[in-house]
Amino acid sequence: MRIAMLGSGFIGRFYADSLLGQRSKDEIVSIYSRREESARKFAEDYKVPHATTDMLAAINHPDVEVVCISLPNNLHEAAVLACCAAKKAVLCTKPLGRNAAEAKRMLEAVEKAGIFHGYLEDLVYTPKFSKALQSVQNGALGRILWAKSRETHPGPHSEWFWDKEQAGGGCMLDLGCHCVEITRSFIGKDIRPMEVMCWADTQVKPIDAEDHAIALVKYENGAIGQFEVSWTFRGGLDLRDEVMGTEGTIWINNFLRTGFDMFTTGKGADYVAEKAESNSGWLFPVGDEINDLGYNHMFTDMLRSIENKQTPRESFYDGYVVNAILDAAYRSATSKQWEPVQLDIWRGQTGVTSNKDQQEYDADHYLIKEETTHYGAKKLILKHKTTGQITEKTV
């Protein structure tokens, strides 16, 4: 595929490394940057034949088939609408919009234009997540009760992230979009999110937006999603997921502590890993950062889906749902109450009930718990089906 990259910064370079290194048959033919020197440097580094500070010139370049948006959040909508006008397939970095209203307009625009649209949510493409999701979908954990995702680090790289107007929010929009889609995937993307309870505050950074947030998301089937996000965490980039079901549990550590530990005085050390705060002492490098963060698998899915005329795993619709959940979280952080998730467009199941199945022990009792004690006895905790009385029985 012949690609136009919009944005030459941190994420644009991550994307370029993956696009040019994974399938080995795709090409970036145009680079747009708001700064001429940045466009020239990107073009030089990645051997891109066309560099410009005119976004429309990059999108409308005759060789371009696919447009990849790696711009600040406030520029996503204009770029998407330009792709719609040019009838070019579009891939947009997360979050899709600064809020659900923006995301909805972008979703409706690409669908009306009939163009391919992919939502670049790399953390649902990491090898560990993909394996865990397959296990969950195969029933290894039984009915999913709770899914939790945590992303914390000392803060983003570029100045626009710290500007509430440009970014649309703070760490909750920047990091929570990852966490919401991770937990939503484990619970089931066809299960409707109903309401959110959120705490958010600005604890450390001198900014108008939040730098720390924790939230619970209730789903229609009774499952709970949870996210923890922060720009105040010291020690690097911490990415962890947990899933709990009636038949099992999964813990995932994607970054920071992955079995690769290194000590150095700093001599000869340079880049260690994304968001690493030091290049000396005990460090936690990542074996293949682009692959381990999901970029390779994400772009393979996106570009193959374009070629095969299929919907990718993550589309603008997913980005819209994520934005709607985060909108509810922001409202809750202000109201200090559960806030409903307002979804004008919902394409999943409806009327799902909570399946609180109870394990039967005998004709008269349900089994609450079975255990073997430290002194060798087998103990059962039972509930009478009619009276509700709780008893214990040693067998």
Side-chain angles (χ1 to χ4, degrees):
M1 306 298 294
R2 298 187 299 276
I3 302 158
M5 182 67 69
L6 307 186
S8 60
F10 180 84
I11 193 63
R13 285 175 171 267
F14 257 131
Y15 286 172
D17 289 340
S18 178
L19 284 165
L20 300 180
Q22 172 68 352
R23 301 204 316 165
S24 300
K25 65 177 185 178
D26 305 302
E27 181 184 3
I28 300 174
V29 297
S30 181
I31 172 64
Y32 158 76
S33 180
R34 291 169 293 163
R35 293 182 290 272
E36 185 175 351
E37 62 275 17
S38 297
R40 285 201 310 267
K41 185 66 169 66
F42 188 101
E44 178 185 335
D45 290 345
Y46 292 100
K47 297 178 173 56
V48 179
H50 179 250
T52 180
T53 56
D54 182 341
M55 185 173 69
L56 293 181
I59 293 172
N60 290 292
H61 191 286
D63 291 339
V64 168
E65 300 172 282
V66 183
V67 178
C68 184
I69 300 171
S70 58
L71 296 169
N73 298 345
N74 61 314
L75 303 178
H76 289 185
E77 186 174 8
V80 167
L81 294 180
C83 291
C84 292
K87 300 294 184 181
K88 299 286 179 78
V90 58
L91 312 176
C92 185
T93 192
K94 63 80 196 172
L96 182 57
R98 289 177 292 179
N99 50 57
E102 278 189 358
K104 181 184 176 185
R105 290 195 297 268
M106 285 184 264
L107 171 62
E108 291 176 333
V110 293
E111 291 186 339
K112 182 178 180 181
I115 62 173
F116 179 94
H117 49 98
Y119 177 52
L120 298 180
E121 175 45 78
D122 60 289
L123 292 187
V124 298
Y125 286 94
T126 70
K128 291 180 182 178
F129 172 85
S130 296
K131 180 67 173 179
L133 182 62
Q134 183 181 37
S135 296
V136 167
Q137 292 175 339
N138 289 341
L141 270 59
R143 178 166 56 92
I144 300 303
L145 307 173
W146 170 67
K148 171 184 173 182
S149 184
R150 167 187 171 91
E151 180 172 1
T152 62
H153 57 62
H157 302 280
S158 300
E159 81 286 350
W160 65 265
F161 282 97
W162 304 94
D163 183 322
K164 188 176 180 180
E165 175 59 28
Q166 291 185 75
C171 67
M172 188 150 62
L173 189 60
D174 178 35
L175 310 180
C177 59
H178 287 305
C179 299
V180 164
E181 191 65 348
I182 288 168
T183 55
R184 176 175 169 252
S185 297
F186 282 130
I187 290 168
K189 292 203 295 184
D190 61 338
I191 303 300
R192 185 168 186 145
M194 301 303 291
E195 54 183 347
V196 181
M197 171 63 79
C198 178
W199 166 87
D201 200 359
T202 310
Q203 293 186 308
V204 175
K205 308 295 185 181
I207 57 174
D208 295 330
E210 76 289 346
D211 62 15
H212 195 173
I214 302 170
L216 297 174
V217 183
K218 286 184 183 177
Y219 285 80
E220 192 174 22
N221 66 348
I224 286 285
Q226 178 181 343
F227 67 76
E228 303 173 0
V229 294
S230 180
W231 285 345
T232 67
F233 175 78
R234 304 308 301 270
L237 173 58
D238 186 15
L239 298 175
R240 283 181 278 164
D241 306 324
E242 300 178 33
V243 197
M244 182 182 75
T246 55
E247 303 297 329
T249 301
I250 291 175
W251 295 340
I252 303 173
N253 195 330
N254 280 306
F255 226 77
L256 194 60
R257 300 309 300 267
T258 60
F260 186 172
D261 299 355
M262 176 178 72
F263 178 86
T264 175
T265 61
K267 184 178 180 179
D270 190 8
Y271 181 82
V272 177
E274 182 183 345
K275 308 295 193 306
E277 290 201 87
S278 174
N279 63 357
S280 64
W282 278 107
L283 306 175
F284 312 104
V286 179
D288 186 341
E289 196 165 348
I290 293 173
N291 194 68
D292 291 348
L293 286 173
Y295 294 115
N296 286 341
H297 303 82
M298 175 180 72
F299 281 115
T300 296
D301 175 50
M302 293 295 166
L303 298 178
R304 283 180 179 170
S305 295
I306 294 173
E307 290 169 343
N308 297 330
K309 296 181 171 53
Q310 298 173 338
T311 301
R313 276 173 49 186
E314 295 289 319
S315 71
F316 276 23
Y317 173 71
D318 296 297
Y320 162 68
V321 175
V322 168
N323 269 127
I325 293 172
L326 291 174
D327 279 3
Y330 277 110
R331 291 195 302 270
S332 175
T334 299
S335 71
K336 314 299 182 187
Q337 298 178 358
W338 286 96
E339 290 288 344
V341 178
Q342 298 172 1
L343 281 167
D344 297 334
I345 304 170
W346 174 246
R347 294 168 180 171
Q349 299 185 58
T350 57
V352 178
T353 58
S354 177
N355 181 25
K356 297 180 180 179
D357 50 314
Q358 301 184 73
Q359 185 176 350
E360 189 173 88
Y361 174 68
D362 59 25
D364 298 319
H365 296 89
Y366 293 116
L367 177 66
I368 296 176
K369 185 183 179 185
E370 177 181 336
E371 66 176 337
T372 299
T373 67
H374 64 284
Y375 50 86
K378 183 177 180 181
K379 182 189 289 188
L380 305 175
I381 308 296
L382 305 173
K383 177 182 178 180
H384 197 278
K385 293 180 179 179
T386 304
T387 66
Q389 182 182 7
I390 307 294
T391 59
E392 64 178 67
K393 178 180 180 180
T394 301
V395 296

